[in-house]
Amino acid sequence: MKKLLLILVCLTLAVRGIAQSAWSVSGGVDLQSRYVWRGQPLGGNAPCIEPGVAVSWRGLSLGVWGAYGFALNEYQEFDWTLGYTFGDDLITIQVTDYSFPTLHTDYHYFDYHANTTDHVLEAGLIFNVPKTNLSLSAYTNFFGNDARKDNGKLVYSTYVEASYTQPIKKIDTDLSFALGAAVNGKGDATFYGNDGFDIVNISAEIRHAFPLGQRFEIPLYLQLIANPTANKMYAVVGCAITF
């Protein structure tokens, strides 16, 4: 965990040092009561810290993100995302490399052999509907440790989502809603616990920055997340610090 955090800190310092007019750098750290991703409680019941940083240039972006749990099993996740946004922020295409160091007893980060790797590579497409706060997205696993059919071939697990954000400017608060579904894998072992097309993520979030004195503020959020397929409901409280 300490080594991965050190890598993130070094990357942050490096990209800030090379930032010029054509470049932009963003990053932040989230502290959450638990980690729930697309309706899946990946971090168990423990709090989780999630640092990340990204550098972009003329629509092209490269980001690194991690999640580290405080439980005894010390859940870890380490991801890279390469993306390209075009059409005046209308469309984003991206590839994400997911890795989960603590989910495998014999973990080898640089093993990218198709049948033995612990990595999951995912292709994503995001469409921001013009003149609205609505976003439509689709993601498909295409390589690595995805769920597999009985014949050993990849399921190509696919997740689709519609999300909407409504700013309330008078009180400087954002309300967000998302509806997500896993769409394939019927009859096979699945990545999202689904059996064919199933709703796995219904979420609502309220986000507000609370002032702390005259110079600082604490950005907090509350999420309610339901996974009807798993018959589960989660409440998550978090703090997001960005730069």
Side-chain angles (χ1 to χ4, degrees):
M1 174 177 177
K2 292 181 179 179
K3 291 182 179 179
L4 292 178
L5 285 173
L6 180 60
I7 291 174
L8 288 171
V9 171
C10 291
L11 286 171
T12 301
L13 295 176
V15 296
R16 291 189 67 180
I18 65 172
Q20 300 174 357
S21 58
W23 297 79
S24 64
V25 180
S26 60
V29 178
D30 279 34
L31 180 62
Q32 293 186 330
S33 58
R34 67 186 304 172
Y35 173 34
V36 181
W37 176 78
R38 298 178 183 172
Q40 318 299 310
L42 297 188
N45 297 321
C48 192
I49 187 170
E50 302 170 359
V53 63
V55 59
S56 60
W57 178 75
R58 297 182 179 179
L60 186 66
S61 64
L62 177 64
V64 59
W65 183 90
Y68 309 95
F70 291 105
L72 292 177
N73 62 357
E74 199 181 76
Y75 174 87
Q76 295 183 23
E77 181 179 336
F78 190 65
D79 308 333
W80 292 89
T81 298
L82 177 65
Y84 182 68
T85 301
F86 57 95
D88 196 23
D89 291 331
L90 184 67
I91 297 174
T92 297
I93 54 176
Q94 65 182 40
V95 173
T96 299
D97 178 350
Y98 298 97
S99 62
F100 309 93
T102 54
L103 295 186
H104 307 278
T105 56
D106 190 21
Y107 175 73
H108 300 284
Y109 184 83
F110 294 103
D111 178 4
Y112 277 92
H113 293 89
N115 294 322
T116 60
T117 184
D118 293 322
H119 294 257
V120 177
L121 299 189
E122 174 195 83
L125 175 65
I126 304 167
F127 176 68
N128 296 313
V129 180
K131 299 181 180 180
T132 74
N133 296 320
L134 178 65
S135 179
L136 305 175
S137 55
Y139 308 90
T140 297
N141 297 340
F142 66 89
F143 177 85
N145 198 26
D146 185 25
R148 293 182 180 268
K149 301 177 181 180
D150 292 338
N151 60 10
K153 294 184 178 181
L154 295 180
V155 172
Y156 295 100
S157 301
T158 298
Y159 173 85
V160 297
E161 182 178 282
S163 60
Y164 179 81
T165 299
Q166 178 59 58
I168 305 177
K169 296 181 179 180
K170 290 184 178 180
I171 56 176
D172 194 24
T173 298
D174 288 337
L175 295 177
S176 300
F177 307 91
L179 175 65
V183 302
N184 62 341
K186 187 175 181 63
D188 298 296
T190 56
F191 197 75
Y192 297 99
N194 58 301
D195 186 18
F197 184 95
D198 279 327
I199 302 296
V200 297
N201 181 30
I202 303 174
S203 64
E205 177 187 282
I206 182 169
R207 185 178 293 254
H208 180 77
F210 293 89
L212 183 64
Q214 296 182 349
R215 299 180 59 186
F216 302 99
E217 59 183 20
I218 302 177
L220 299 177
Y221 56 86
L222 170 65
Q223 299 173 336
L224 295 178
I225 304 167
N227 184 334
T229 298
N231 198 25
K232 300 293 184 181
M233 185 82 178
Y234 309 98
V236 177
V237 177
C239 175
I241 301 173
T242 60
F243 63 85

